């Protein structure tokens, strides 16, 4: 039966239970729980059992943070929860409750021992309103406890024979506890143990923790008191200096600067003593090893030189705070030697302790002189903070920058001091940010890690584990904070962390701190760093998204600019003049949504005939050539296409296709000329004229006929499957040739008729380091680079393919071509394409025409003798007069589709 109840009460205390509970009977557990209860609340009955206090450790860490506050205990859906207002204090499953019973002396008090995420095994003492409510809660909890106890009793029966046969040393825990109880009689008072000391991190110290089985603290690092000594000495000296200078009637700002000069002078004297003593030790190497002398007083020479120069600059500032701050900014990088000196503290202390007897006899003040460089950064912070209080508002910003600089150096020194003590680390721990917190924690549960004490280092982006002491340890494992999630923030001594191992797998780390205060400090620092890293990750994602959007916008603008510029330029192909989808000549490229039927053709044909009749009747066209071509188109449609629209579909297909095939030359000539007129009118005349409207109607009609004829089944009409495709390809090719002849200057008819591939490319000549967008035409003989100039294209460069060869691939979307002319300098061009597919297409076509290395000289010699085609022009084609006068005559060799190489290569050489 499911239990649901909720009661109010007053919390008296929480504690970690360390008394043994394993393999105990219920009566034995009751007796131990009462001992823990009496010890938690320090109940004194007037009698003391010192032997019992010595031999039985009942409770560990105690937490009275919520003591004497009203709380609510709730039992619902198999969980037991204790909370205050909206704040959860304890939460665990009912199956984790070990024992629940009322207090003997106060029946209205409830004592519960359960496994929680706060302390592990936790003791809870709760004051309720009446003993009836306590009895009801105990009954509710015991129903679940009895189930667990019955399950455990089965296991106890199986192990009873083994325990009965054990010797006296191997007695059961329950028997030993009963013997202990019977030896000393009644339990009256158990005095309170000393609480575990809270450990906090300092500049040069690490925190320790307590283990379950041993409450004794480990030896602490002697350097933990360093920062305290630094601050206390610095503050006292500073206050003393202020009082002296104020008595001499000097202003507060001047007094601080005078004290800075005085302390700097004293610091330089101590450095001089260290350097002199170091030289003495190096001369007398029988006293101390040379390497130890260098190691103990490392960086003292550098510090002496730096601070001598610094003192001169401070004195030269003449009590001017702006000049003083500028001086410290100038020495900002040199102050890093203090960081190096501080990171050497453990080694220097070790050597000093080894030869302490020698140093006490030869140099009693050596320890004090070695300590002063450690305190110097703290001293500067305190001095400049005092300067800020004594200065005006205009100067505080520059002073604050100096304070922040020294604080950053202190953080770096603290990090170096701790991370340098970790050995065998495969990477640099300082790469993961400054040290936030460090200390010793006990690992209770880890993914493949031993349950033991670890030195835990919390860096800005990593949580690192090491084995050893705070002075010397060995690296074990590190976890990136971006992969760590804090499971809960409940007060106690346990820290639960969920670590992401793989994309779909995670593990649990459970650490135990020495006190509740230390646990809360760890949780607070972990939570802050995890939150900061999550925000940084979100910020990076947003910045990447914004960058992608900006790049897309830039690309769209560039694309629109290029398209607009191309629309403003003369068309050289059908795709440039019209919509590219009008001129797909393969039936598989035609979109099914664009398929037309006979009704669409009938409407389009009628509209075209009416439009032509209207224009011819009103004499709206001034160009005689266009009028002649329009009349011929009109007669062709009236004779062959218009009557067929009244036939059935099968007869219509046959009539149209037969008419085109029979009169193929006329059909091709009429449509290529009319499309040419359409492209010219669209570019040169533009919208607003009657001719432009007729052009649009004709282009739409041509597109519908092409779409329909490419999609019908040509075999049913007795025509080859590729006949229509070949006819329309010929129309488009002839149209492209007519457009090039009109808009490209000095391009030979042979080149026009032998185009393999063409298009706009980004072309860069490597020697001149100039990149331009050019129209490139690849023919079987030459490659032409065209530039746009005043409503037409001019040939900028043309090179013979026989004198060229492919160069290196400079990028994923680009490649180079090298070509040369006898007696001239070699030239290199880099072609850049929109995507990889376009590059592959061009590269494939270049491979068809460029010669192979072993046939290069033969082809050149042969071409010189039989070909009059263009060679590499050494002049600029932008000059019209020169280009016309030097333009070669049209070639007289056969058309490109004849095998002109065959007779040469098959002849007997």
């Amino acid at each position: 039966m499911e239990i649901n109840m909720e009661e109010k009460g007053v919390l008296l205390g929480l504690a970690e239970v360390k008394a043994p509970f394993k393999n105990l009977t219920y009566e034995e557990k009751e007796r131990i729980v009462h001992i823990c209860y009496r010890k938690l609340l320090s109940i004194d009955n007037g009698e003391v059992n010192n032997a019992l206090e010595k031999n039985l450790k009942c409770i560990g860490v105690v937490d009275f943070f919520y003591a004497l506050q009203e709380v609510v205990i709730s039992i619902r859906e198999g969980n037991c929860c204790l909370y205050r207002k909206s704040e959860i204090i304890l939460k665990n499953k009912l199956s984790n409750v070990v024992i629940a019973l009322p207090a003997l002396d106060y029946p209205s008090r409830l004592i519960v021992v359960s496994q929680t995420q706060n302390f592990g095994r936790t003791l809870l003492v709760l004051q309720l309103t009446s003993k009836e409510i306590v009895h009801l809660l105990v009954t509710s909890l015991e129903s679940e406890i009895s189930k667990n106890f019955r399950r455990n009793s089965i296991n106890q029966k199986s192990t009873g024979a083994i325990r009965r046969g054990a010797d006296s040393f191997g007695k059961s825990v329950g028997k030993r506890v009963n013997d202990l109880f019977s030896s000393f009689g009644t339990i009256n008072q158990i005095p309170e143990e000393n609480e575990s000391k809270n450990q906090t991190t300092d500049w040069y110290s690490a925190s320790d923790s307590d283990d379950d089985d041993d409450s004794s603290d480990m030896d602490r690092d002697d350097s933990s008191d360093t920062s305290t000594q630094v601050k206390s000495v610095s503050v006292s000296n500073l206050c003393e200096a202020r009082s002296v200078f104020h008595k001499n009637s000097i202003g507060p700002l001047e007094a601080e600067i005078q004290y800075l000069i005085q302390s700097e002078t004293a610091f330089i004297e101590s450095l001089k003593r260290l350097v002199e003593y170091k030289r003495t030790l190096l001369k007398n190497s029988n006293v101390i090893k040379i390497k130890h002398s260098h190691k103990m007083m490392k960086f003292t020479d550098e510090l002496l030189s730096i601070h001598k120069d610094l003192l001169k600059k401070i004195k030269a500032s003449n009590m001017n705070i702006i000049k003083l701050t500028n001086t410290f900014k100038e020495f900002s990088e040199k102050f890093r030697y203090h960081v190096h000196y501080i990171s050497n503290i453990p080694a220097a202390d070790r050597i000093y302790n080894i030869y302490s007897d020698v140093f006490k006899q030869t140099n009693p003040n050596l320890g004090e002189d070695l300590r002063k460089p450690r305190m110097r950064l703290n001293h500067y912070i305190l001095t400049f903070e005092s300067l800020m209080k004594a200065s005006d508002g205009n100067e505080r910003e520059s002073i604050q920058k100096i304070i922040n600089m020294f604080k950053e150096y202190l953080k770096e020194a603290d990090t170096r001091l701790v991370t340098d003590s970790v050995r065998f680390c495969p990477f640099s721990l300082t790469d993961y940010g400054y040290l936030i917190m460090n200390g010793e924690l006990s690992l209770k549960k880890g993914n493949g890690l031993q349950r033991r004490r670890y030195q835990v280092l919390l860096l800005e982006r990593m949580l690192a584990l090491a084995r050893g002491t705070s002075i010397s340890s060995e690296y074990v494992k590190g976890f990136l904070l971006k992969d760590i999630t804090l499971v809960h923030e409940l007060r106690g001594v346990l820290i639960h962390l969920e670590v992401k191992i793989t994309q779909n797998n995670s593990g649990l780390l459970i650490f135990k701190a020495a006190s509740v205060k230390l646990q809360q400090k760890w949780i607070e620092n972990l939570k802050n760093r995890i939150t900061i890293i999550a925000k940084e990750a979100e910020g990076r994602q947003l910045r990447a998204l914004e960058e992608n959007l900006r790049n897309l916008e830039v690309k769209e603008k560039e694309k629109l600019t290029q398209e607009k510029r191309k629309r403003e330029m003369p068309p050289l192909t059908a795709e440039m003049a019209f919509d590219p989808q009008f001129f797909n000549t393969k039936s598989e490229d035609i979109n099914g949504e664009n398929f037309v039927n006979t009704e669409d053709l009938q409407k389009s044909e009628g509209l075209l005939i009416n439009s032509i009749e209207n224009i011819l009747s009103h004499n709206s066209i001034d160009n005689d050539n266009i009028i002649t071509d329009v009349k011929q188109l009109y007669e062709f449609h009236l004779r062959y296409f218009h009557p067929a629209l009244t036939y059935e579909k099968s007869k219509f297909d046959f009539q149209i296709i037969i008419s085109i095939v029979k009169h193929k030359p006329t059909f091709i000539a009429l449509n290529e000329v009319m499309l040419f007129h359409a492209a010219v009118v669209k570019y040169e005349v533009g919208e607003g004229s009657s001719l432009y409207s007729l052009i649009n109607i004709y282009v739409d009609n041509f597109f519908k006929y092409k779409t329909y004829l490419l999609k019908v089944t040509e075999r049913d009409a007795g025509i080859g499957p590729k006949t229509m495709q070949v006819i329309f390809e010929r129309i488009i090719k002839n149209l492209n040739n007519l457009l090039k002849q009109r808009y490209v200057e000095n391009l030979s008819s042979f080149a026009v008729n032998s185009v393999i591939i063409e298009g706009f490319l980004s072309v860069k000549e490597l020697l001149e380091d100039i990149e331009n967008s050019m129209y490139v035409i690849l023919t079987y003989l030459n490659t032409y680079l065209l530039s746009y100039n005043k409503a037409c294209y001019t040939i900028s460069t043309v090179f013979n393919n026989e004198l060229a060869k492919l160069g290196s691939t400079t990028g994923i979307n680009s490649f180079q071509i090298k070509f040369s002319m006898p007696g001239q300098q070699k030239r290199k061009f880099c072609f850049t394409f929109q995507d990889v597919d376009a590059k592959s297409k061009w590269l494939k076509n270049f491979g068809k025409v460029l010669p192979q290395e072993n046939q290069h000289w033969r082809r050149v010699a042969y071409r010189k003798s039989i070909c009059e085609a263009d060679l590499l022009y050494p002049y600029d084609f932008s000059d019209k007069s020169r280009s016309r006068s030097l333009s070669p005559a049209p070639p007289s060799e056969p058309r490109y589709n004849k095998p002109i190489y065959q007779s040469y290569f098959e002849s007997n050489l």
Side-chain angles (χ1 to χ4, degrees):
M1 183 179 66
E2 187 176 348
I3 305 170
N4 292 320
M5 60 184 304
E6 201 172 85
E7 297 293 338
K8 291 184 178 180
V10 177
L11 181 63
L12 299 183
L14 291 171
E16 175 193 10
V17 178
K18 287 202 169 186
F21 273 84
K22 189 176 181 180
N23 299 329
L24 296 181
T25 63
Y26 187 79
E27 291 76 14
E28 294 168 346
K29 290 180 182 179
E30 281 187 348
R31 300 182 74 177
I32 292 178
V33 168
H34 283 296
I35 293 173
C36 297
Y37 159 71
R38 290 176 181 275
K39 185 170 183 181
L40 173 65
L41 301 183
S42 301
I43 297 175
D44 185 3
N45 286 348
E47 299 179 5
V48 178
N49 269 321
N50 293 327
L52 183 59
E53 297 170 11
K54 181 178 180 181
N55 290 280
L56 183 61
K57 184 176 182 180
C58 295
I59 60 175
V61 178
V62 177
D63 184 18
F64 289 112
F65 185 79
Y66 296 101
L68 304 180
Q69 297 189 38
E70 184 178 342
V71 296
V72 176
I73 183 170
S74 173
I75 301 175
R76 198 179 303 277
E77 298 177 355
N79 293 320
C80 180
C81 181
L82 184 72
Y83 59 89
R84 175 183 175 273
K85 296 181 180 180
S86 59
E87 186 177 4
I88 297 177
I89 301 174
L90 286 178
K91 185 177 182 180
N92 59 282
K93 295 181 179 179
L94 290 177
S95 58
N96 291 333
V97 177
V98 179
I99 188 171
L101 46 86
L104 294 178
D105 46 358
Y106 295 99
S108 60
R109 288 182 182 175
L110 175 66
I111 308 173
V112 181
V113 177
S114 61
Q115 289 287 345
T116 67
Q117 293 182 340
N118 307 57
F119 296 93
R121 193 163 57 243
T122 307
L123 174 67
L124 164 67
V125 181
L126 193 63
Q127 178 70 52
L128 298 171
T129 55
S130 64
K131 62 181 181 180
E132 289 78 11
I133 295 176
V134 174
H135 178 72
L136 182 61
L137 286 171
V138 169
T139 305
S140 301
L141 295 173
E142 279 184 345
S143 62
E144 188 68 30
I145 296 171
S146 59
K147 297 178 185 177
N148 297 332
F149 189 75
R150 283 196 297 271
R151 286 195 295 268
N152 294 333
S153 62
I154 297 173
N155 297 329
Q156 286 181 1
K157 289 179 182 179
S158 63
T159 57
I162 299 175
R163 288 190 283 113
R164 284 193 298 270
D167 56 10
S168 58
F169 181 76
K171 289 181 181 179
S172 66
V173 177
K175 186 70 170 66
R176 279 180 282 162
V177 172
N178 286 330
D179 294 342
L180 189 63
F181 288 158
S182 60
S183 300
F184 301 104
T186 307
I187 309 299
N188 293 321
Q189 184 191 15
I190 301 175
E192 182 180 2
E193 276 189 350
N194 295 327
E195 290 189 13
S196 300
K197 296 181 180 179
N198 296 331
Q199 299 294 326
T200 57
T201 57
D202 211 335
W203 289 119
Y204 316 116
S205 66
S207 300
D208 288 306
S209 64
D210 196 8
D211 192 35
D212 285 346
D213 302 324
D214 188 8
S215 61
S216 61
D217 293 336
M218 299 177 64
D219 293 337
R220 311 297 184 192
D221 187 7
D222 294 337
S223 61
S224 59
D225 296 328
T226 303
S227 62
T228 306
Q229 294 175 1
V230 169
K231 293 179 181 178
S232 61
V233 172
S234 301
V235 170
S236 61
N237 291 342
L238 189 59
C239 294
E240 183 180 352
R242 285 178 190 159
S243 61
V244 171
F245 287 121
H246 285 315
K247 288 179 180 178
N248 296 331
S249 302
I250 299 177
L253 190 63
E254 290 78 6
E256 301 295 346
I257 297 176
Q258 285 286 355
Y259 169 69
L260 177 62
I261 294 173
Q262 179 185 354
S263 63
E264 196 69 23
T265 305
F267 179 62
I268 290 173
E269 292 298 325
S270 66
L271 288 175
K272 286 180 179 179
R273 290 194 296 270
L274 287 175
V275 171
E276 289 296 329
Y277 188 65
K278 178 181 177 181
R279 293 172 182 171
T280 303
L281 292 176
L282 292 176
K283 290 178 182 178
N284 303 322
S285 58
N286 57 342
V287 178
I288 179 175
K289 293 182 179 179
I290 294 177
K291 64 177 183 179
H292 287 170
S293 301
H294 282 294
K295 188 69 176 175
M296 185 177 65
M297 286 175 279
K298 198 175 182 180
F299 304 112
T300 52
D301 297 290
E302 291 84 351
L303 289 175
L304 178 60
S305 175
I306 291 168
H307 284 275
K308 280 182 178 179
D309 297 338
L310 178 64
L311 181 60
K312 293 178 182 178
K313 294 277 187 178
I314 293 174
K315 291 179 178 179
S317 64
N318 296 324
M319 302 293 177
N320 189 322
I321 193 66
I322 300 299
K323 292 182 179 180
L324 181 66
T325 53
N326 290 336
T327 298
F328 276 85
K329 288 179 183 178
E330 181 183 344
F331 281 77
S332 58
E333 288 300 322
K334 296 181 180 180
F335 285 121
R336 193 174 298 277
Y337 277 98
H338 283 278
V339 177
H340 302 325
Y341 186 90
I342 292 172
S343 64
N344 191 51
I345 285 177
D349 287 348
R350 232 174 2 251
I351 296 170
Y352 182 84
N353 292 331
I354 293 172
Y355 300 99
S356 58
D357 295 337
V358 176
F359 295 145
K360 287 178 182 178
Q361 295 177 1
T362 58
N363 190 355
N365 297 324
L366 178 61
E368 184 66 25
D369 290 339
L370 288 172
R371 196 178 298 114
K372 286 182 179 180
R374 309 178 186 184
M375 306 187 305
R376 199 62 193 164
L377 294 180
N378 279 318
H379 176 81
Y380 286 138
I381 292 175
L382 295 172
T383 302
F384 276 94
E385 285 177 351
S386 301
L387 284 171
M388 179 177 286
K389 294 177 182 178
S391 63
D392 298 333
N394 299 330
E395 303 162 345
R396 291 187 175 184
E397 184 177 356
S398 57
I399 295 175
Q400 186 61 48
K401 289 181 180 179
I402 302 299
I403 295 174
N404 294 339
M405 177 188 71
F406 285 120
K407 286 184 177 180
E408 287 294 315
Y409 280 142
L410 280 177
K411 285 183 181 179
E412 185 178 349
D414 186 35
T415 304
R416 286 277 304 275
L417 190 66
V418 176
T419 56
D420 288 353
S421 66
V422 180
R423 297 174 295 154
F424 309 124
C425 185
F427 53 88
S428 176
L429 290 172
T430 55
D431 293 342
Y432 293 88
Y434 291 136
L435 182 72
I436 305 299
M437 184 178 182
N438 71 297
E440 189 177 77
L441 297 176
S442 297
L443 183 65
K444 296 303 177 184
K445 183 177 181 180
N447 191 11
L449 296 173
Q450 294 182 358
R451 295 181 57 187
R452 53 166 297 142
R453 294 185 181 183
Y454 290 96
Q455 292 293 330
V456 183
L457 282 65
L458 176 59
L459 304 171
E460 289 181 332
R461 293 187 299 278
M462 173 177 277
L463 186 73
L465 273 64
R467 292 175 57 178
T469 65
S470 59
I471 299 175
S472 178
S473 59
E474 296 180 3
Y475 173 81
V476 176
K477 197 168 184 179
F479 304 94
L480 294 176
L481 290 184
K482 68 182 182 64
D483 298 331
I484 294 179
T485 305
L486 195 61
V487 177
H488 69 84
E489 303 176 31
L490 301 176
R491 285 179 60 85
V493 292
L494 298 183
I495 305 167
H496 290 69
L497 303 176
E498 185 179 355
V499 181
K500 184 178 179 181
I501 301 172
T502 61
Q503 186 147 6
N504 301 319
N505 190 18
S506 60
L508 189 64
L509 294 177
I510 302 178
F511 293 98
K512 180 183 176 184
S515 63
V516 178
K517 183 178 179 181
L518 188 58
Q519 181 247 23
Q520 287 294 293
K521 188 172 182 180
W522 274 100
I523 287 179
E524 180 183 359
N525 288 316
L526 281 167
K527 180 182 176 182
N528 291 339
R529 287 308 311 167
I530 292 172
T531 304
I532 290 171
I533 289 174
K535 290 181 179 179
E536 289 176 353
E538 292 177 359
R540 284 194 298 269
Q541 291 177 356
L542 289 175
R543 286 193 296 272
L545 183 61
E546 291 174 357
E547 184 67 23
N548 292 336
L549 290 175
R550 282 195 296 269
N551 292 338
L552 287 175
E553 290 177 358
V554 170
K555 289 181 180 179
E556 287 295 328
K557 289 180 180 178
E558 290 177 353
K559 185 177 179 181
L560 291 174
T561 304
Q562 291 177 359
E563 291 178 354
K564 182 180 178 182
R565 186 167 58 87
K566 288 178 182 179
R567 286 195 298 269
E568 294 174 352
M569 298 169 67
L572 297 182
T573 61
E575 288 80 0
M576 293 174 64
F578 308 104
D579 191 342
Q581 68 173 346
F582 284 9
F583 301 97
N584 290 325
T585 56
K586 296 181 181 180
S587 59
E588 57 267 20
D589 293 337
I590 303 297
N591 192 344
E593 298 178 357
N594 299 325
F595 185 74
V596 294
N597 51 31
T598 54
E599 289 79 7
D600 297 329
L601 286 177
Q602 186 176 7
K603 292 179 182 179
S604 177
E605 186 68 22
L607 185 61
L608 177 63
I609 296 298
N610 292 334
S611 178
I612 294 176
E613 290 176 349
N614 187 27
I615 289 175
L616 293 177
S617 62
H618 290 84
N619 296 322
S620 302
I621 304 175
D622 299 332
N623 193 312
D624 294 336
N625 292 331
I626 297 179
I627 292 175
T628 302
D629 295 333
V630 170
K631 287 180 179 180
Q632 291 179 1
L633 179 71
Y634 177 70
E635 292 173 0
F636 188 87
H637 275 259
L638 282 179
R639 180 176 296 182
Y640 301 112
F641 288 174
H642 200 63
L645 294 174
T646 59
Y647 298 163
E648 295 180 357
K649 184 180 184 303
S650 58
K651 293 183 179 180
F652 171 78
D653 297 342
F654 179 80
Q655 182 65 29
I656 292 293
I657 294 173
I658 290 299
S659 300
I660 293 175
V661 172
K662 282 184 176 181
H663 307 283
K664 182 170 67 172
T666 305
F667 179 78
I668 292 174
L670 278 174
N671 283 283
E672 69 184 35
V673 172
M674 284 303 300
L675 289 172
F676 173 73
H677 291 322
V680 172
V681 169
K682 188 175 180 181
Y683 172 67
E684 296 182 5
V685 179
E687 301 179 5
S689 63
S690 57
L691 183 59
Y692 183 81
S693 61
L694 171 63
I695 290 302
N696 283 339
I697 294 171
Y698 163 73
V699 172
D700 181 68
N701 179 270
F702 176 81
F703 168 70
K704 287 182 177 179
Y705 270 108
K706 180 179 68 69
T707 304
Y708 181 82
L709 293 173
L710 289 175
K711 277 295 183 181
V712 297
T713 306
E714 297 177 343
R715 289 186 181 275
D716 295 343
I719 307 299
K722 299 296 182 181
T723 303
M724 287 296 109
Q725 180 177 328
V726 171
I727 291 173
F728 284 110
E729 284 179 351
R730 175 62 62 184
I731 293 172
I732 300 304
K733 185 172 183 180
N734 293 345
L735 170 61
N736 295 342
N737 294 343
L738 292 173
L739 291 172
K740 290 183 185 65
Q741 289 177 359
R742 181 176 181 87
Y743 291 116
V744 180
E745 292 185 353
N746 303 319
L747 189 64
S748 64
S749 59
F750 178 77
V752 168
N753 290 296
S754 60
V755 174
I756 301 175
I757 189 171
E758 58 186 319
F760 281 98
L761 299 179
S762 179
V763 182
K764 179 180 180 181
E765 187 167 3
L766 300 182
L767 295 177
E768 297 182 2
D769 199 20
I770 299 174
E771 186 172 3
N772 295 312
S773 177
M774 307 184 77
Y775 196 83
V776 182
I777 300 176
L778 174 65
T779 67
Y780 278 85
L781 292 178
N782 305 317
T783 300
Y784 298 87
L785 307 182
L786 308 182
S787 59
Y788 175 67
N789 184 19
K790 296 181 181 179
C792 68
Y793 294 89
T794 57
I795 301 176
S796 175
T797 303
V798 56
F799 56 87
N800 193 292
N801 295 335
E802 298 295 342
L803 302 174
K805 63 178 180 179
L806 289 174
S808 60
T809 301
T810 55
I812 191 172
N813 293 338
S814 61
F815 63 81
Q816 294 180 5
I817 291 182
K818 305 175 183 177
F819 62 94
S820 60
M821 186 73 181
Q824 296 184 8
Q825 187 180 8
K826 292 183 179 180
R827 300 176 70 179
K828 294 182 182 180
F829 286 88
C830 180
F831 297 90
T832 304
F833 306 87
Q834 292 182 352
D835 50 43
V836 179
D837 294 336
K839 174 188 173 182
S840 301
K841 185 177 179 181
W842 277 82
L843 207 55
K844 182 179 179 181
N845 287 287
F846 266 112
K848 293 179 181 178
V849 299
L850 297 185
Q852 297 179 1
E853 293 292 329
N854 58 352
Q855 298 175 348
H856 183 66
W857 68 272
R858 295 180 181 179
R859 291 186 178 232
V860 171
Y862 177 68
R863 283 298 177 191
K864 283 182 180 180
S865 63
I866 68 170
C867 182
E868 298 179 3
D870 306 336
L871 292 177
L872 178 65
Y873 289 113
Y875 55 85
D876 187 4
F877 275 92
S878 60
D879 188 349
K880 274 190 173 183
S881 61
R882 296 187 63 187
S883 63
R884 287 178 181 174
S885 61
L886 297 177
S887 178
S892 59
E893 71 171 272
R895 294 182 62 85
Y896 70 93
N897 54 359
K898 292 187 178 181
I900 58 178
Y901 300 99
Q902 184 177 358
S903 61
Y904 169 67
F905 286 110
E906 291 182 357
S907 61
N908 186 5
L909 299 178

